Amino acid sequence: MDRYERILTLHRLLKSAHYPVPLSRLMDELECSRATLYRDVAFLRDALGAPVQSVAGEQASFRYEAGEGDSFELPGLWLTSDELAALMALNELIGRSDPGVLAGALAPFKARIERLLSDHGSGKALPVDRIRVISWGARKLDQQVFRIVAGAVLERRQVTFRYRARTTNSDTRRTVSPQRLTHYRDNWYLDVWDHDREALRSFAVDRIAEPQAQDARAKDVEDAELNDLLASSYGIFAGKPKAWATIRFSSHAARWVADEHWHSQQKGDWLPDGRYELKVPYSNSRELLMDVLKYGPDAEIVAPLPLREEMKILLQLALTGYQNGTNGNHP
């Protein structure tokens, strides 16, 4: 343990202790000699201003003064090498999953972590290239749009923008009070209070154009209401749940599905024959059907009947395409 980590560990031990901490215990915790411990205590008290009290003699012990110890914190950023390494890994994950969007803004932070690791850690460079993030289905995102939208969310200001919906391809102008940014399946969504519709809505940030932050303060919506309307049913196309879907997976697929998180309120049960039954609430069936389809013959929608029939129609249309030759590409 280097001096930096010893000082941090010493501070945490003294701050959390209700009684004086014996010298022997501190030497064991810090893995150091008696002389080194006294030097660290002196540095903590004299250089950093910690309210250290000590008892000399064979029963030597240390503690923070009652009252002052509760309010004292080490100045600046004090993290262990493991914590700094974790931050470095997190920064690498963000940079690789959203290249250009957040990486630039976090560059100074990354440089500071690297200096701290060099100064207080082993001095060796971390092999962050061994952390891989492979995006799947990520759509192109305008950096300037993202920054304006994110700024409006944090500054609690209304924002106007032009939006072209994928479902209808219609182009509309919106004035909204942004509530929160949601990162879902490698893409960003903006949850808002739509002033024109007087309702909560969720917009894909990659479909937002010409955003302009306004001086008007954003209307705040309680988290409970946001979760009730935007996170209570399956997928990003959330809303008030209209039904619960029951899906049964083969014993082969069950080994994967049983460990997957589909929804915060999902219910799963193993069936006697080794199959797995999953129940999730949903509002819009589109995304749920797409997720079930990827399991092919290993998944079957049992209920409700309208959802089951919708899946049957999708499968029949797909089969018709293969039988007739799709889009004129085959004879």
Side-chain angles (χ1 to χ4, degrees), residues 251-299:
S251 57
H252 173 73
R255 296 196 293 269
W256 283 268
V257 178
D259 294 328
E260 291 179 352
H261 176 82
W262 288 47
H263 190 273
S264 60
Q265 299 176 27
Q266 70 185 48
K267 301 174 183 178
D269 293 295
W270 288 93
L271 302 179
D273 60 1
R275 291 182 298 165
Y276 188 77
E277 185 174 274
L278 179 68
K279 296 182 179 181
V280 292
Y282 72 97
S283 174
N284 187 307
S285 61
R286 175 174 43 183
E287 190 171 4
L288 178 57
L289 291 171
M290 287 191 294
D291 279 348
V292 176
L293 276 169
K294 72 181 181 182
Y295 284 96
D298 287 311

Short mmCIF file of all heavy atoms in Angstrom, two decimals, residues 251-299:
data_model
loop_
_atom_site.label_atom_id
_atom_site.label_comp_id
_atom_site.label_asym_id
_atom_site.label_seq_id
_atom_site.Cartn_x
_atom_site.Cartn_y
_atom_site.Cartn_z
N SER A 251 -36.85 -25.20 -23.28
CA SER A 251 -35.84 -25.46 -22.25
C SER A 251 -34.47 -24.99 -22.69
O SER A 251 -33.63 -24.62 -21.87
CB SER A 251 -35.81 -26.96 -21.93
OG SER A 251 -35.56 -27.72 -23.11
N HIS A 252 -34.23 -24.99 -23.99
CA HIS A 252 -32.94 -24.51 -24.51
C HIS A 252 -32.82 -23.00 -24.32
O HIS A 252 -31.84 -22.51 -23.76
CB HIS A 252 -32.80 -24.87 -25.99
CG HIS A 252 -31.60 -24.28 -26.64
ND1 HIS A 252 -30.32 -24.73 -26.41
CD2 HIS A 252 -31.48 -23.23 -27.52
CE1 HIS A 252 -29.47 -24.00 -27.10
NE2 HIS A 252 -30.13 -23.09 -27.79
N ALA A 253 -33.83 -22.24 -24.77
CA ALA A 253 -33.79 -20.77 -24.64
C ALA A 253 -33.91 -20.33 -23.19
O ALA A 253 -33.45 -19.25 -22.82
CB ALA A 253 -34.91 -20.16 -25.47
N ALA A 254 -34.54 -21.16 -22.36
CA ALA A 254 -34.77 -20.80 -20.96
C ALA A 254 -33.47 -20.50 -20.23
O ALA A 254 -33.45 -19.67 -19.31
CB ALA A 254 -35.52 -21.92 -20.24
N ARG A 255 -32.38 -21.14 -20.63
CA ARG A 255 -31.10 -20.93 -19.95
C ARG A 255 -30.62 -19.50 -20.11
O ARG A 255 -29.85 -18.99 -19.30
CB ARG A 255 -30.06 -21.92 -20.47
CG ARG A 255 -30.41 -23.37 -20.18
CD ARG A 255 -29.18 -24.27 -20.37
NE ARG A 255 -28.75 -24.35 -21.76
CZ ARG A 255 -29.19 -25.28 -22.62
NH1 ARG A 255 -30.08 -26.17 -22.22
NH2 ARG A 255 -28.74 -25.31 -23.84
N TRP A 256 -31.04 -18.83 -21.16
CA TRP A 256 -30.69 -17.42 -21.37
C TRP A 256 -31.77 -16.50 -20.80
O TRP A 256 -31.47 -15.55 -20.09
CB TRP A 256 -30.52 -17.14 -22.87
CG TRP A 256 -29.23 -17.62 -23.43
CD1 TRP A 256 -28.06 -16.92 -23.55
CD2 TRP A 256 -28.96 -18.93 -23.96
NE1 TRP A 256 -27.08 -17.70 -24.11
CE2 TRP A 256 -27.60 -18.95 -24.38
CE3 TRP A 256 -29.72 -20.08 -24.12
CZ2 TRP A 256 -27.00 -20.06 -24.95
CZ3 TRP A 256 -29.13 -21.20 -24.68
CH2 TRP A 256 -27.79 -21.19 -25.08
N VAL A 257 -33.01 -16.78 -21.12
CA VAL A 257 -34.10 -15.87 -20.76
C VAL A 257 -34.27 -15.75 -19.26
O VAL A 257 -34.55 -14.68 -18.73
CB VAL A 257 -35.43 -16.35 -21.40
CG1 VAL A 257 -36.58 -15.43 -20.98
CG2 VAL A 257 -35.31 -16.37 -22.91
N ALA A 258 -34.05 -16.83 -18.52
CA ALA A 258 -34.24 -16.81 -17.07
C ALA A 258 -33.31 -15.81 -16.39
O ALA A 258 -33.60 -15.32 -15.30
CB ALA A 258 -34.03 -18.20 -16.49
N ASP A 259 -32.18 -15.48 -17.04
CA ASP A 259 -31.22 -14.53 -16.46
C ASP A 259 -31.34 -13.13 -17.06
O ASP A 259 -30.57 -12.24 -16.70
CB ASP A 259 -29.79 -15.04 -16.67
CG ASP A 259 -29.53 -16.32 -15.89
OD1 ASP A 259 -30.13 -16.48 -14.80
OD2 ASP A 259 -28.74 -17.16 -16.36
N GLU A 260 -32.26 -12.93 -17.99
CA GLU A 260 -32.39 -11.65 -18.66
C GLU A 260 -33.36 -10.72 -17.94
O GLU A 260 -34.34 -11.17 -17.33
CB GLU A 260 -32.86 -11.84 -20.11
CG GLU A 260 -31.83 -12.48 -21.01
CD GLU A 260 -32.34 -12.68 -22.43
OE1 GLU A 260 -33.54 -12.45 -22.67
OE2 GLU A 260 -31.54 -13.06 -23.29
N HIS A 261 -33.07 -9.42 -18.03
CA HIS A 261 -33.96 -8.40 -17.45
C HIS A 261 -34.75 -7.78 -18.59
O HIS A 261 -34.22 -7.04 -19.41
CB HIS A 261 -33.15 -7.33 -16.73
CG HIS A 261 -34.01 -6.21 -16.18
ND1 HIS A 261 -34.69 -6.31 -15.00
CD2 HIS A 261 -34.31 -4.99 -16.69
CE1 HIS A 261 -35.36 -5.19 -14.79
NE2 HIS A 261 -35.15 -4.37 -15.81
N TRP A 262 -36.05 -8.07 -18.64
CA TRP A 262 -36.93 -7.50 -19.66
C TRP A 262 -37.69 -6.31 -19.12
O TRP A 262 -37.96 -5.36 -19.84
CB TRP A 262 -37.92 -8.56 -20.16
CG TRP A 262 -37.31 -9.64 -21.01
CD1 TRP A 262 -36.17 -10.34 -20.75
CD2 TRP A 262 -37.81 -10.14 -22.26
NE1 TRP A 262 -35.94 -11.26 -21.74
CE2 TRP A 262 -36.94 -11.15 -22.68
CE3 TRP A 262 -38.93 -9.85 -23.02
CZ2 TRP A 262 -37.12 -11.87 -23.86
CZ3 TRP A 262 -39.13 -10.57 -24.20
CH2 TRP A 262 -38.24 -11.55 -24.62
N HIS A 263 -38.06 -6.36 -17.85
CA HIS A 263 -38.87 -5.30 -17.26
C HIS A 263 -38.75 -5.37 -15.74
O HIS A 263 -38.56 -6.46 -15.17
CB HIS A 263 -40.33 -5.45 -17.68
CG HIS A 263 -41.20 -4.29 -17.31
ND1 HIS A 263 -41.81 -4.19 -16.09
CD2 HIS A 263 -41.53 -3.17 -17.99
CE1 HIS A 263 -42.49 -3.06 -16.03
NE2 HIS A 263 -42.34 -2.43 -17.18
N SER A 264 -38.86 -4.21 -15.08
CA SER A 264 -38.71 -4.16 -13.63
C SER A 264 -39.80 -4.95 -12.90
O SER A 264 -39.60 -5.36 -11.76
CB SER A 264 -38.72 -2.70 -13.16
OG SER A 264 -39.95 -2.07 -13.50
N GLN A 265 -40.95 -5.16 -13.55
CA GLN A 265 -42.05 -5.88 -12.91
C GLN A 265 -42.25 -7.28 -13.48
O GLN A 265 -43.28 -7.90 -13.25
CB GLN A 265 -43.34 -5.07 -13.05
CG GLN A 265 -43.28 -3.70 -12.41
CD GLN A 265 -44.55 -2.90 -12.65
OE1 GLN A 265 -45.63 -3.45 -12.85
NE2 GLN A 265 -44.43 -1.58 -12.66
N GLN A 266 -41.29 -7.76 -14.22
CA GLN A 266 -41.45 -9.07 -14.86
C GLN A 266 -41.61 -10.19 -13.83
O GLN A 266 -41.14 -10.10 -12.69
CB GLN A 266 -40.26 -9.37 -15.76
CG GLN A 266 -38.96 -9.64 -15.00
CD GLN A 266 -37.80 -9.80 -15.95
OE1 GLN A 266 -37.60 -9.01 -16.86
NE2 GLN A 266 -37.00 -10.85 -15.74
N LYS A 267 -42.29 -11.25 -14.26
CA LYS A 267 -42.49 -12.43 -13.42
C LYS A 267 -42.07 -13.65 -14.22
O LYS A 267 -42.49 -13.82 -15.37
CB LYS A 267 -43.96 -12.55 -13.00
CG LYS A 267 -44.48 -11.35 -12.23
CD LYS A 267 -45.98 -11.47 -11.98
CE LYS A 267 -46.52 -10.23 -11.27
NZ LYS A 267 -48.01 -10.31 -11.07
N GLY A 268 -41.26 -14.47 -13.64
CA GLY A 268 -40.78 -15.66 -14.34
C GLY A 268 -40.94 -16.92 -13.52
O GLY A 268 -40.74 -16.90 -12.30
N ASP A 269 -41.30 -18.00 -14.18
CA ASP A 269 -41.49 -19.29 -13.50
C ASP A 269 -40.98 -20.42 -14.38
O ASP A 269 -41.19 -20.42 -15.61
CB ASP A 269 -42.97 -19.53 -13.19
CG ASP A 269 -43.52 -18.58 -12.15
OD1 ASP A 269 -43.06 -18.63 -10.99
OD2 ASP A 269 -44.39 -17.76 -12.51
N TRP A 270 -40.31 -21.36 -13.74
CA TRP A 270 -39.88 -22.58 -14.44
C TRP A 270 -41.05 -23.54 -14.50
O TRP A 270 -41.74 -23.75 -13.49
CB TRP A 270 -38.71 -23.23 -13.73
CG TRP A 270 -37.43 -22.47 -13.89
CD1 TRP A 270 -36.91 -21.53 -13.05
CD2 TRP A 270 -36.51 -22.59 -14.97
NE1 TRP A 270 -35.72 -21.04 -13.53
CE2 TRP A 270 -35.45 -21.68 -14.71
CE3 TRP A 270 -36.47 -23.37 -16.13
CZ2 TRP A 270 -34.37 -21.54 -15.57
CZ3 TRP A 270 -35.39 -23.23 -16.99
CH2 TRP A 270 -34.36 -22.32 -16.71
N LEU A 271 -41.28 -24.12 -15.64
CA LEU A 271 -42.35 -25.08 -15.81
C LEU A 271 -41.81 -26.50 -15.58
O LEU A 271 -40.60 -26.74 -15.70
CB LEU A 271 -42.96 -24.98 -17.22
CG LEU A 271 -43.53 -23.59 -17.57
CD1 LEU A 271 -44.06 -23.59 -18.99
CD2 LEU A 271 -44.62 -23.18 -16.58
N PRO A 272 -42.66 -27.44 -15.21
CA PRO A 272 -42.21 -28.81 -14.90
C PRO A 272 -41.41 -29.47 -16.00
O PRO A 272 -40.52 -30.29 -15.73
CB PRO A 272 -43.52 -29.56 -14.64
CG PRO A 272 -44.48 -28.50 -14.20
CD PRO A 272 -44.12 -27.28 -14.99
N ASP A 273 -41.68 -29.15 -17.26
CA ASP A 273 -40.98 -29.79 -18.37
C ASP A 273 -39.69 -29.08 -18.76
O ASP A 273 -39.07 -29.40 -19.78
CB ASP A 273 -41.90 -29.89 -19.59
CG ASP A 273 -42.40 -28.52 -20.07
OD1 ASP A 273 -42.01 -27.50 -19.46
OD2 ASP A 273 -43.18 -28.48 -21.04
N GLY A 274 -39.25 -28.09 -17.94
CA GLY A 274 -37.98 -27.41 -18.20
C GLY A 274 -38.12 -26.12 -18.98
O GLY A 274 -37.14 -25.40 -19.17
N ARG A 275 -39.35 -25.83 -19.47
CA ARG A 275 -39.55 -24.56 -20.16
C ARG A 275 -39.63 -23.42 -19.14
O ARG A 275 -39.77 -23.65 -17.94
CB ARG A 275 -40.81 -24.61 -21.01
CG ARG A 275 -40.72 -25.53 -22.22
CD ARG A 275 -42.00 -25.47 -23.04
NE ARG A 275 -43.15 -25.93 -22.25
CZ ARG A 275 -44.42 -25.73 -22.60
NH1 ARG A 275 -44.70 -25.07 -23.72
NH2 ARG A 275 -45.40 -26.18 -21.84
N TYR A 276 -39.56 -22.20 -19.65
CA TYR A 276 -39.60 -21.02 -18.78
C TYR A 276 -40.72 -20.10 -19.25
O TYR A 276 -40.83 -19.79 -20.45
CB TYR A 276 -38.26 -20.27 -18.84
CG TYR A 276 -38.13 -19.15 -17.83
CD1 TYR A 276 -37.87 -19.43 -16.50
CD2 TYR A 276 -38.26 -17.82 -18.22
CE1 TYR A 276 -37.74 -18.40 -15.56
CE2 TYR A 276 -38.14 -16.80 -17.31
CZ TYR A 276 -37.88 -17.09 -15.98
OH TYR A 276 -37.75 -16.07 -15.06
N GLU A 277 -41.56 -19.66 -18.30
CA GLU A 277 -42.68 -18.78 -18.62
C GLU A 277 -42.39 -17.37 -18.08
O GLU A 277 -42.15 -17.20 -16.89
CB GLU A 277 -43.97 -19.32 -18.01
CG GLU A 277 -45.20 -18.50 -18.41
CD GLU A 277 -46.48 -19.15 -17.91
OE1 GLU A 277 -47.03 -20.02 -18.63
OE2 GLU A 277 -46.93 -18.78 -16.80
N LEU A 278 -42.42 -16.41 -18.96
CA LEU A 278 -42.13 -15.02 -18.60
C LEU A 278 -43.37 -14.16 -18.81
O LEU A 278 -44.04 -14.27 -19.85
CB LEU A 278 -40.99 -14.49 -19.47
CG LEU A 278 -40.57 -13.03 -19.25
CD1 LEU A 278 -39.92 -12.85 -17.89
CD2 LEU A 278 -39.63 -12.57 -20.36
N LYS A 279 -43.67 -13.30 -17.83
CA LYS A 279 -44.80 -12.38 -17.94
C LYS A 279 -44.29 -10.96 -17.78
O LYS A 279 -43.57 -10.65 -16.83
CB LYS A 279 -45.84 -12.69 -16.87
CG LYS A 279 -46.50 -14.06 -17.02
CD LYS A 279 -47.56 -14.29 -15.95
CE LYS A 279 -48.22 -15.65 -16.12
NZ LYS A 279 -49.27 -15.90 -15.11
N VAL A 280 -44.67 -10.08 -18.74
CA VAL A 280 -44.25 -8.67 -18.70
C VAL A 280 -45.43 -7.79 -19.09
O VAL A 280 -46.24 -8.16 -19.95
CB VAL A 280 -43.07 -8.39 -19.66
CG1 VAL A 280 -41.80 -9.07 -19.19
CG2 VAL A 280 -43.41 -8.80 -21.07
N PRO A 281 -45.54 -6.60 -18.48
CA PRO A 281 -46.59 -5.67 -18.90
C PRO A 281 -46.14 -4.93 -20.16
O PRO A 281 -44.95 -4.70 -20.37
CB PRO A 281 -46.69 -4.71 -17.72
CG PRO A 281 -45.32 -4.71 -17.12
CD PRO A 281 -44.78 -6.08 -17.33
N TYR A 282 -47.10 -4.56 -21.01
CA TYR A 282 -46.73 -3.82 -22.21
C TYR A 282 -47.86 -2.87 -22.60
O TYR A 282 -49.03 -3.07 -22.24
CB TYR A 282 -46.42 -4.78 -23.37
CG TYR A 282 -47.64 -5.46 -23.95
CD1 TYR A 282 -48.26 -4.96 -25.09
CD2 TYR A 282 -48.18 -6.60 -23.35
CE1 TYR A 282 -49.39 -5.58 -25.62
CE2 TYR A 282 -49.30 -7.21 -23.87
CZ TYR A 282 -49.90 -6.70 -25.00
OH TYR A 282 -51.02 -7.31 -25.51
N SER A 283 -47.47 -1.85 -23.33
CA SER A 283 -48.44 -0.89 -23.85
C SER A 283 -48.48 -0.98 -25.37
O SER A 283 -49.51 -1.21 -25.97
CB SER A 283 -48.09 0.53 -23.41
OG SER A 283 -48.94 1.47 -24.02
N ASN A 284 -47.31 -0.79 -25.98
CA ASN A 284 -47.18 -0.91 -27.43
C ASN A 284 -46.55 -2.26 -27.74
O ASN A 284 -45.48 -2.58 -27.22
CB ASN A 284 -46.33 0.24 -27.97
CG ASN A 284 -46.29 0.29 -29.48
OD1 ASN A 284 -45.97 -0.70 -30.12
ND2 ASN A 284 -46.60 1.44 -30.04
N SER A 285 -47.17 -3.06 -28.56
CA SER A 285 -46.72 -4.44 -28.78
C SER A 285 -45.50 -4.54 -29.70
O SER A 285 -44.84 -5.58 -29.73
CB SER A 285 -47.85 -5.25 -29.39
OG SER A 285 -48.24 -4.70 -30.65
N ARG A 286 -45.19 -3.48 -30.43
CA ARG A 286 -44.19 -3.57 -31.50
C ARG A 286 -42.84 -4.08 -31.01
O ARG A 286 -42.28 -5.05 -31.53
CB ARG A 286 -44.03 -2.21 -32.17
CG ARG A 286 -42.94 -2.16 -33.22
CD ARG A 286 -42.95 -0.83 -33.92
NE ARG A 286 -43.13 0.29 -33.00
CZ ARG A 286 -43.22 1.56 -33.39
NH1 ARG A 286 -43.21 1.84 -34.68
NH2 ARG A 286 -43.36 2.52 -32.51
N GLU A 287 -42.31 -3.44 -29.99
CA GLU A 287 -40.97 -3.81 -29.54
C GLU A 287 -40.97 -5.17 -28.86
O GLU A 287 -40.02 -5.94 -29.00
CB GLU A 287 -40.43 -2.74 -28.59
CG GLU A 287 -38.96 -2.92 -28.26
CD GLU A 287 -38.39 -1.75 -27.50
OE1 GLU A 287 -39.15 -0.82 -27.15
OE2 GLU A 287 -37.18 -1.76 -27.23
N LEU A 288 -42.02 -5.46 -28.14
CA LEU A 288 -42.12 -6.77 -27.49
C LEU A 288 -42.13 -7.88 -28.53
O LEU A 288 -41.44 -8.90 -28.38
CB LEU A 288 -43.38 -6.83 -26.64
CG LEU A 288 -43.67 -8.15 -25.93
CD1 LEU A 288 -42.51 -8.55 -25.03
CD2 LEU A 288 -44.96 -8.05 -25.13
N LEU A 289 -42.89 -7.71 -29.60
CA LEU A 289 -42.94 -8.72 -30.66
C LEU A 289 -41.58 -8.91 -31.30
O LEU A 289 -41.17 -10.04 -31.61
CB LEU A 289 -43.98 -8.32 -31.71
CG LEU A 289 -45.45 -8.38 -31.27
CD1 LEU A 289 -46.34 -7.76 -32.33
CD2 LEU A 289 -45.86 -9.83 -30.98
N MET A 290 -40.84 -7.83 -31.52
CA MET A 290 -39.51 -7.94 -32.12
C MET A 290 -38.58 -8.75 -31.22
O MET A 290 -37.77 -9.55 -31.71
CB MET A 290 -38.94 -6.55 -32.38
CG MET A 290 -39.59 -5.82 -33.54
SD MET A 290 -38.70 -4.32 -34.04
CE MET A 290 -38.91 -3.29 -32.58
N ASP A 291 -38.68 -8.53 -29.91
CA ASP A 291 -37.81 -9.27 -28.99
C ASP A 291 -38.17 -10.75 -28.93
O ASP A 291 -37.29 -11.60 -28.79
CB ASP A 291 -37.88 -8.65 -27.59
CG ASP A 291 -37.00 -7.42 -27.47
OD1 ASP A 291 -36.17 -7.20 -28.37
OD2 ASP A 291 -37.14 -6.69 -26.48
N VAL A 292 -39.44 -11.05 -29.02
CA VAL A 292 -39.86 -12.45 -29.00
C VAL A 292 -39.45 -13.14 -30.30
O VAL A 292 -39.03 -14.30 -30.31
CB VAL A 292 -41.38 -12.57 -28.76
CG1 VAL A 292 -41.82 -14.03 -28.84
CG2 VAL A 292 -41.75 -11.98 -27.40
N LEU A 293 -39.56 -12.41 -31.41
CA LEU A 293 -39.23 -12.99 -32.72
C LEU A 293 -37.79 -13.46 -32.80
O LEU A 293 -37.49 -14.42 -33.52
CB LEU A 293 -39.51 -11.97 -33.83
CG LEU A 293 -40.94 -11.86 -34.34
CD1 LEU A 293 -41.09 -10.64 -35.23
CD2 LEU A 293 -41.34 -13.13 -35.09
N LYS A 294 -36.90 -12.80 -32.10
CA LYS A 294 -35.47 -13.18 -32.21
C LYS A 294 -35.21 -14.58 -31.66
O LYS A 294 -34.17 -15.17 -31.95
CB LYS A 294 -34.59 -12.15 -31.52
CG LYS A 294 -34.64 -12.18 -30.01
CD LYS A 294 -33.74 -11.09 -29.42
CE LYS A 294 -33.76 -11.12 -27.89
NZ LYS A 294 -32.94 -10.04 -27.31
N TYR A 295 -36.14 -15.11 -30.87
CA TYR A 295 -35.98 -16.46 -30.35
C TYR A 295 -36.59 -17.51 -31.28
O TYR A 295 -36.47 -18.72 -31.01
CB TYR A 295 -36.60 -16.58 -28.95
CG TYR A 295 -35.73 -15.94 -27.89
CD1 TYR A 295 -35.95 -14.64 -27.47
CD2 TYR A 295 -34.68 -16.65 -27.32
CE1 TYR A 295 -35.14 -14.05 -26.52
CE2 TYR A 295 -33.86 -16.08 -26.36
CZ TYR A 295 -34.11 -14.78 -25.97
OH TYR A 295 -33.30 -14.20 -25.02
N GLY A 296 -37.23 -17.07 -32.36
CA GLY A 296 -37.75 -17.99 -33.36
C GLY A 296 -38.65 -19.06 -32.77
O GLY A 296 -39.54 -18.76 -31.97
N PRO A 297 -38.40 -20.32 -33.12
CA PRO A 297 -39.27 -21.42 -32.66
C PRO A 297 -39.13 -21.72 -31.17
O PRO A 297 -39.88 -22.54 -30.64
CB PRO A 297 -38.80 -22.62 -33.50
CG PRO A 297 -37.38 -22.30 -33.83
CD PRO A 297 -37.33 -20.80 -34.01
N ASP A 298 -38.16 -21.07 -30.49
CA ASP A 298 -37.96 -21.33 -29.06
C ASP A 298 -38.86 -20.46 -28.18
O ASP A 298 -38.76 -20.53 -26.95
CB ASP A 298 -36.50 -21.07 -28.67
CG ASP A 298 -35.58 -22.17 -29.18
OD1 ASP A 298 -35.91 -23.35 -28.97
OD2 ASP A 298 -34.55 -21.85 -29.80
N ALA A 299 -39.71 -19.63 -28.78
CA ALA A 299 -40.59 -18.76 -28.00
C ALA A 299 -42.00 -18.82 -28.55
O ALA A 299 -42.21 -18.89 -29.76
CB ALA A 299 -40.07 -17.32 -28.03
#
